[in-house]
Amino acid sequence: MNDFSGITIALSKGRIFEETLPLLAVAGITPAENPEQSRKLIIGTNRADVRVVIVRASDVPTYVQYGAADLGIAGKDVLLEHDGVGIYQPLDLKIARCRMCVAVAEGFDYQAHVQRGARLRVATKYIKTAREHFAAKGVHVDLIKLYGSMELAPLAGLADAIVDVVSSGNTLKANKLVAVEDICLISSRLIVNQAALKLKREMLQPVIEAFVRAVA
Ligand code: PRT
Ligand code: MG
């Protein structure tokens, strides 16, 4: 658990920070700075008892799991890859929406490849999600873990397919890729450290309830 006696909220900068601002406003919380402009990693708010820590999107569940943050906001895509130990997931905030897809280079006959029972090379940062998806379909895959732009993998000949999140589809189009299968819909969730929810319930409950009102 962190030493700060108030509430620590873990957020990633970019779309999650931006789309969380209106939700925080309903809880009466306004961050003092925008992480895009400031280089600060711990940002105060208008409330002395609330602070925000800026972490990589995929690190948000880890901060909350270990109690370094009491609350966090993370995409379902990120949460599916995390073991979820010590984390309570009470609310779909319906922000930062996108879909998890299988995509291939234009002209690659994915269905024929699958029907032939050929092994598929799949590059992704979502190893667990991809493994479960293809196992459920009975498709044999070699999974290649990537940390950066997956869109390059089929173009450079690293993989036949990628598993990635897509929102507008513009990035796929710009790189001559097509989505051939939807895996699931993605949105961001509020996550709460389970121990903090017991120990700091009086402080956390009003914030959680404000998020519920903001979503409704
Ligand atoms: O950027 P970094 O590597 O640090 O991490 P990240 O990409 O996971 O973080 P961030 O902040 O980009 O995304 C945070 C969360 O937003 C993700 O975990 C998703 O739940 C959600 N989200 C919503 C998205 C998108 N939409 C999205 N479009 N995350 C990533 N993208 C990518 C997409 O993969 C593509 O490469 O953005 C690119 C543009 O997408 P198109 O389809 O609009 O062209
Ligand atoms: Mg990103």
Side-chain angles (χ1 to χ4, degrees):
M1 198 75 50
N2 61 81
D3 309 330
F4 184 63
S5 60
I7 300 172
T8 301
I9 306 174
L11 295 177
S12 53
K13 60 182 183 184
R15 71 188 103 223
I16 288 192
F17 185 86
E18 299 298 334
E19 294 186 38
T20 297
L21 285 177
L23 306 179
L24 288 172
V26 172
I29 299 167
T30 311
E33 278 162 285
N34 184 327
E36 299 297 344
Q37 275 105 53
S38 140
R39 287 173 186 275
K40 277 195 191 160
L41 298 175
I42 299 183
I43 297 179
T45 71
N46 59 320
R47 281 175 49 176
D49 64 336
V50 181
R51 65 177 186 176
V52 172
V53 293
I54 302 299
V55 305
R56 184 111 187 226
S58 49
D59 289 335
V60 168
T62 307
Y63 275 80
V64 174
Q65 171 176 21
Y66 288 96
D70 305 300
L71 303 178
I73 295 175
K76 185 75 184 169
D77 52 327
V78 166
L79 293 166
L80 287 171
E81 295 296 307
H82 192 268
D83 64 18
V85 174
I87 294 175
Y88 175 57
Q89 218 190 105
L91 186 61
D92 181 355
L93 297 169
K94 303 192 171 137
I95 59 168
R97 290 187 192 216
C98 52
R99 54 190 228 277
M100 181 77 71
C101 292
V102 180
V104 300
E106 283 175 15
F108 179 85
D109 195 340
Y110 174 73
Q111 298 304 344
H113 210 84
V114 165
Q115 270 151 27
R116 266 207 318 279
R119 276 191 95 80
L120 200 66
R121 280 165 72 103
V122 180
T124 186
K125 73 173 177 184
Y126 304 108
I127 292 286
K128 202 169 149 197
T129 302
R131 185 186 297 117
E132 284 165 15
H133 173 72
F134 291 109
K137 282 180 56 94
V139 175
H140 296 287
V141 290
D142 292 316
L143 294 173
I144 302 171
K145 169 83 183 183
L146 286 181
Y147 296 87
S149 308
M150 287 158 258
E151 292 88 355
L152 177 63
L155 308 177
L158 177 65
D160 303 314
I162 60 173
V163 168
D164 193 8
V165 297
V166 177
S167 48
S168 69
N170 290 339
T171 307
L172 291 182
K173 209 175 293 167
N175 290 294
K176 294 188 166 31
L177 301 175
V178 282
V180 288
E181 211 159 66
D182 282 351
I183 299 180
C184 57
L185 292 173
I186 301 289
S187 56
S188 288
R189 314 295 159 116
L190 177 67
I191 58 174
V192 187
N193 175 273
Q194 282 173 354
L197 190 59
K198 294 200 189 90
L199 297 168
K200 298 185 180 177
R201 181 179 277 278
E202 274 167 47
M203 243 190 298
L204 293 176
Q205 203 61 40
V207 177
I208 296 170
E209 280 165 14
F211 279 126
V212 172
R213 285 199 307 279
V215 174

mmCIF file of all heavy atoms in Angstrom, residues 19-44:
data_model
loop_
_atom_site.group_PDB
_atom_site.id
_atom_site.type_symbol
_atom_site.label_atom_id
_atom_site.label_comp_id
_atom_site.label_asym_id
_atom_site.label_seq_id
_atom_site.Cartn_x
_atom_site.Cartn_y
_atom_site.Cartn_z
ATOM 1 N N GLU A 19 -10.425 10.950 -21.865
ATOM 2 C CA GLU A 19 -11.820 10.501 -21.736
ATOM 3 C C GLU A 19 -12.226 10.303 -20.278
ATOM 4 O O GLU A 19 -13.407 10.188 -19.968
ATOM 5 C CB GLU A 19 -12.052 9.223 -22.569
ATOM 6 C CG GLU A 19 -11.917 9.497 -24.066
ATOM 7 C CD GLU A 19 -12.278 8.304 -24.947
ATOM 8 O OE1 GLU A 19 -13.221 7.574 -24.617
ATOM 9 O OE2 GLU A 19 -11.589 8.094 -25.969
ATOM 10 N N THR A 20 -11.233 10.274 -19.371
ATOM 11 C CA THR A 20 -11.543 10.140 -17.943
ATOM 12 C C THR A 20 -11.845 11.495 -17.305
ATOM 13 O O THR A 20 -12.561 11.563 -16.302
ATOM 14 C CB THR A 20 -10.357 9.458 -17.211
ATOM 15 O OG1 THR A 20 -10.195 8.145 -17.744
ATOM 16 C CG2 THR A 20 -10.613 9.319 -15.721
ATOM 17 N N LEU A 21 -11.336 12.588 -17.891
ATOM 18 C CA LEU A 21 -11.537 13.920 -17.305
ATOM 19 C C LEU A 21 -13.011 14.227 -16.989
ATOM 20 O O LEU A 21 -13.319 14.663 -15.878
ATOM 21 C CB LEU A 21 -10.930 15.004 -18.205
ATOM 22 C CG LEU A 21 -9.396 15.100 -18.179
ATOM 23 C CD1 LEU A 21 -8.916 16.167 -19.174
ATOM 24 C CD2 LEU A 21 -8.872 15.408 -16.773
ATOM 25 N N PRO A 22 -13.942 13.984 -17.939
ATOM 26 C CA PRO A 22 -15.350 14.272 -17.614
ATOM 27 C C PRO A 22 -15.898 13.407 -16.472
ATOM 28 O O PRO A 22 -16.763 13.857 -15.725
ATOM 29 C CB PRO A 22 -16.090 13.970 -18.916
ATOM 30 C CG PRO A 22 -15.058 13.858 -19.981
ATOM 31 C CD PRO A 22 -13.751 13.577 -19.342
ATOM 32 N N LEU A 23 -15.386 12.178 -16.355
ATOM 33 C CA LEU A 23 -15.852 11.295 -15.274
ATOM 34 C C LEU A 23 -15.339 11.808 -13.935
ATOM 35 O O LEU A 23 -16.063 11.841 -12.939
ATOM 36 C CB LEU A 23 -15.378 9.857 -15.503
ATOM 37 C CG LEU A 23 -15.715 9.217 -16.863
ATOM 38 C CD1 LEU A 23 -15.142 7.801 -16.944
ATOM 39 C CD2 LEU A 23 -17.216 9.169 -17.058
ATOM 40 N N LEU A 24 -14.065 12.232 -13.917
ATOM 41 C CA LEU A 24 -13.485 12.798 -12.697
ATOM 42 C C LEU A 24 -14.242 14.061 -12.295
ATOM 43 O O LEU A 24 -14.470 14.311 -11.106
ATOM 44 C CB LEU A 24 -11.999 13.118 -12.910
ATOM 45 C CG LEU A 24 -11.041 11.929 -13.005
ATOM 46 C CD1 LEU A 24 -9.642 12.399 -13.405
ATOM 47 C CD2 LEU A 24 -10.980 11.166 -11.674
ATOM 48 N N ALA A 25 -14.649 14.848 -13.291
ATOM 49 C CA ALA A 25 -15.362 16.100 -13.007
ATOM 50 C C ALA A 25 -16.655 15.831 -12.242
ATOM 51 O O ALA A 25 -17.008 16.581 -11.327
ATOM 52 C CB ALA A 25 -15.642 16.844 -14.314
ATOM 53 N N VAL A 26 -17.343 14.745 -12.589
ATOM 54 C CA VAL A 26 -18.584 14.388 -11.884
ATOM 55 C C VAL A 26 -18.280 14.070 -10.410
ATOM 56 O O VAL A 26 -19.087 14.331 -9.525
ATOM 57 C CB VAL A 26 -19.294 13.198 -12.581
ATOM 58 C CG1 VAL A 26 -20.477 12.696 -11.761
ATOM 59 C CG2 VAL A 26 -19.749 13.609 -13.975
ATOM 60 N N ALA A 27 -17.076 13.552 -10.148
ATOM 61 C CA ALA A 27 -16.664 13.259 -8.771
ATOM 62 C C ALA A 27 -16.059 14.502 -8.107
ATOM 63 O O ALA A 27 -15.571 14.432 -6.975
ATOM 64 C CB ALA A 27 -15.672 12.102 -8.764
ATOM 65 N N GLY A 28 -16.076 15.636 -8.812
ATOM 66 C CA GLY A 28 -15.521 16.874 -8.261
ATOM 67 C C GLY A 28 -14.006 16.893 -8.246
ATOM 68 O O GLY A 28 -13.390 17.586 -7.449
ATOM 69 N N ILE A 29 -13.392 16.117 -9.150
ATOM 70 C CA ILE A 29 -11.924 16.028 -9.181
ATOM 71 C C ILE A 29 -11.401 16.627 -10.492
ATOM 72 O O ILE A 29 -11.832 16.233 -11.580
ATOM 73 C CB ILE A 29 -11.461 14.550 -9.069
ATOM 74 C CG1 ILE A 29 -11.945 13.944 -7.731
ATOM 75 C CG2 ILE A 29 -9.943 14.437 -9.197
ATOM 76 C CD1 ILE A 29 -11.825 12.431 -7.662
ATOM 77 N N THR A 30 -10.482 17.585 -10.376
ATOM 78 C CA THR A 30 -9.848 18.191 -11.553
ATOM 79 C C THR A 30 -8.330 18.079 -11.415
ATOM 80 O O THR A 30 -7.753 18.665 -10.495
ATOM 81 C CB THR A 30 -10.218 19.690 -11.670
ATOM 82 O OG1 THR A 30 -11.627 19.825 -11.528
ATOM 83 C CG2 THR A 30 -9.778 20.256 -13.008
ATOM 84 N N PRO A 31 -7.660 17.332 -12.298
ATOM 85 C CA PRO A 31 -6.198 17.259 -12.230
ATOM 86 C C PRO A 31 -5.581 18.640 -12.430
ATOM 87 O O PRO A 31 -6.087 19.450 -13.214
ATOM 88 C CB PRO A 31 -5.831 16.317 -13.385
ATOM 89 C CG PRO A 31 -7.070 15.507 -13.618
ATOM 90 C CD PRO A 31 -8.207 16.440 -13.335
ATOM 91 N N ALA A 32 -4.483 18.916 -11.720
ATOM 92 C CA ALA A 32 -3.861 20.238 -11.763
ATOM 93 C C ALA A 32 -3.096 20.465 -13.063
ATOM 94 O O ALA A 32 -2.842 21.601 -13.446
ATOM 95 C CB ALA A 32 -2.932 20.407 -10.568
ATOM 96 N N GLU A 33 -2.715 19.368 -13.740
ATOM 97 C CA GLU A 33 -1.930 19.506 -14.963
ATOM 98 C C GLU A 33 -2.349 18.456 -15.974
ATOM 99 O O GLU A 33 -2.933 17.436 -15.616
ATOM 100 C CB GLU A 33 -0.440 19.289 -14.658
ATOM 101 C CG GLU A 33 0.234 20.517 -14.100
ATOM 102 C CD GLU A 33 1.541 20.145 -13.423
ATOM 103 O OE1 GLU A 33 1.498 19.599 -12.310
ATOM 104 O OE2 GLU A 33 2.581 20.402 -14.023
ATOM 105 N N ASN A 34 -1.982 18.712 -17.238
ATOM 106 C CA ASN A 34 -2.200 17.717 -18.278
ATOM 107 C C ASN A 34 -0.870 16.994 -18.518
ATOM 108 O O ASN A 34 0.137 17.647 -18.802
ATOM 109 C CB ASN A 34 -2.672 18.409 -19.560
ATOM 110 C CG ASN A 34 -3.012 17.409 -20.654
ATOM 111 O OD1 ASN A 34 -2.392 16.348 -20.766
ATOM 112 N ND2 ASN A 34 -4.002 17.747 -21.452
ATOM 113 N N PRO A 35 -0.856 15.661 -18.419
ATOM 114 C CA PRO A 35 0.405 14.923 -18.572
ATOM 115 C C PRO A 35 1.039 15.067 -19.956
ATOM 116 O O PRO A 35 2.220 14.804 -20.124
ATOM 117 C CB PRO A 35 0.014 13.472 -18.292
ATOM 118 C CG PRO A 35 -1.456 13.409 -18.469
ATOM 119 C CD PRO A 35 -1.983 14.759 -18.145
ATOM 120 N N GLU A 36 0.254 15.502 -20.955
ATOM 121 C CA GLU A 36 0.833 15.708 -22.293
ATOM 122 C C GLU A 36 1.796 16.896 -22.273
ATOM 123 O O GLU A 36 2.773 16.920 -23.008
ATOM 124 C CB GLU A 36 -0.255 15.980 -23.344
ATOM 125 C CG GLU A 36 -1.275 14.890 -23.547
ATOM 126 C CD GLU A 36 -0.709 13.568 -24.061
ATOM 127 O OE1 GLU A 36 0.444 13.524 -24.554
ATOM 128 O OE2 GLU A 36 -1.422 12.554 -23.944
ATOM 129 N N GLN A 37 1.458 17.905 -21.434
ATOM 130 C CA GLN A 37 2.309 19.091 -21.360
ATOM 131 C C GLN A 37 3.376 18.966 -20.274
ATOM 132 O O GLN A 37 4.514 19.352 -20.455
ATOM 133 C CB GLN A 37 1.458 20.351 -21.105
ATOM 134 C CG GLN A 37 0.889 20.949 -22.371
ATOM 135 C CD GLN A 37 -0.607 20.657 -22.497
ATOM 136 O OE1 GLN A 37 -1.364 20.937 -21.584
ATOM 137 N NE2 GLN A 37 -1.012 20.084 -23.614
ATOM 138 N N SER A 38 2.970 18.435 -19.141
ATOM 139 C CA SER A 38 3.884 18.361 -18.005
ATOM 140 C C SER A 38 4.657 17.035 -18.078
ATOM 141 O O SER A 38 4.185 16.070 -18.648
ATOM 142 C CB SER A 38 3.060 18.447 -16.728
ATOM 143 O OG SER A 38 3.535 17.580 -15.761
ATOM 144 N N ARG A 39 5.848 17.000 -17.520
ATOM 145 C CA ARG A 39 6.579 15.732 -17.486
ATOM 146 C C ARG A 39 6.405 15.027 -16.146
ATOM 147 O O ARG A 39 7.019 14.002 -15.884
ATOM 148 C CB ARG A 39 8.070 15.974 -17.748
ATOM 149 C CG ARG A 39 8.341 16.303 -19.193
ATOM 150 C CD ARG A 39 9.757 16.700 -19.409
ATOM 151 N NE ARG A 39 9.942 17.134 -20.781
ATOM 152 C CZ ARG A 39 10.190 16.312 -21.790
ATOM 153 N NH1 ARG A 39 10.303 15.023 -21.598
ATOM 154 N NH2 ARG A 39 10.334 16.781 -23.011
ATOM 155 N N LYS A 40 5.560 15.616 -15.322
ATOM 156 C CA LYS A 40 5.348 15.046 -13.988
ATOM 157 C C LYS A 40 4.617 13.715 -14.066
ATOM 158 O O LYS A 40 3.697 13.552 -14.864
ATOM 159 C CB LYS A 40 4.499 16.009 -13.153
ATOM 160 C CG LYS A 40 5.303 17.120 -12.510
ATOM 161 C CD LYS A 40 4.460 17.783 -11.442
ATOM 162 C CE LYS A 40 5.115 19.044 -10.959
ATOM 163 N NZ LYS A 40 4.133 19.915 -10.312
ATOM 164 N N LEU A 41 5.021 12.799 -13.217
ATOM 165 C CA LEU A 41 4.380 11.478 -13.191
ATOM 166 C C LEU A 41 3.366 11.375 -12.057
ATOM 167 O O LEU A 41 2.518 10.486 -12.057
ATOM 168 C CB LEU A 41 5.437 10.380 -13.069
ATOM 169 C CG LEU A 41 6.411 10.342 -14.251
ATOM 170 C CD1 LEU A 41 7.505 9.319 -14.009
ATOM 171 C CD2 LEU A 41 5.676 10.040 -15.562
ATOM 172 N N ILE A 42 3.493 12.285 -11.078
ATOM 173 C CA ILE A 42 2.476 12.358 -10.025
ATOM 174 C C ILE A 42 1.842 13.733 -10.120
ATOM 175 O O ILE A 42 2.521 14.756 -10.030
ATOM 176 C CB ILE A 42 3.083 12.151 -8.618
ATOM 177 C CG1 ILE A 42 3.739 10.766 -8.524
ATOM 178 C CG2 ILE A 42 1.996 12.317 -7.547
ATOM 179 C CD1 ILE A 42 4.297 10.432 -7.148
ATOM 180 N N ILE A 43 0.549 13.740 -10.370
ATOM 181 C CA ILE A 43 -0.162 14.989 -10.618
ATOM 182 C C ILE A 43 -1.189 15.207 -9.512
ATOM 183 O O ILE A 43 -1.996 14.316 -9.223
ATOM 184 C CB ILE A 43 -0.854 14.928 -11.999
ATOM 185 C CG1 ILE A 43 0.207 14.805 -13.103
ATOM 186 C CG2 ILE A 43 -1.731 16.144 -12.226
ATOM 187 C CD1 ILE A 43 -0.366 14.712 -14.493
ATOM 188 N N GLY A 44 -1.125 16.379 -8.909
ATOM 189 C CA GLY A 44 -2.107 16.718 -7.873
ATOM 190 C C GLY A 44 -3.442 17.069 -8.514
ATOM 191 O O GLY A 44 -3.560 17.172 -9.742
#
